[in-house]
Amino acid sequence: MAERAGLTRLTGSGNGNGECGEDDCPNVYRTEQGTFVVQGNVSAAFTPPEGEGLVEIPEGVLREAIRVLGW
């Protein structure tokens, strides 16, 4: 399993959108630098620039991350 040191998991525990709460599900993480890492299904919507990738997450996962951050 990939290292997650320095990441704070914002989603994945009882988010109520039918997604599971395990490591293999869509999730949003906050880094120590205040940026975000999104885990989701790989998307082929378009080809991103070198070094970038596209993932797709359910709306409920993003809403949960916003709620946790108090936005």
Side-chain angles (χ1 to χ4, degrees):
M1 183 166 298
E3 178 65 37
R4 290 185 174 88
L7 298 178
T8 300
R9 187 174 176 169
L10 301 176
T11 59
S13 57
N15 57 21
N17 66 0
E19 299 297 322
C20 60
E22 302 299 323
D23 288 340
D24 62 346
C25 295
N27 283 295
V28 177
Y29 300 86
R30 190 169 195 180
T31 70
E32 292 174 335
Q33 295 77 29
T35 59
F36 298 92
V37 174
V38 178
Q39 174 186 350
N41 295 323
V42 175
S43 174
F46 64 90
T47 302
E50 180 79 24
E52 295 184 7
L54 304 175
V55 297
E56 188 173 346
I57 61 171
E59 179 181 326
V61 173
L62 187 55
R63 287 182 179 273
E64 182 183 4
I66 291 168
R67 179 190 59 76
V68 167
L69 291 169
W71 293 354

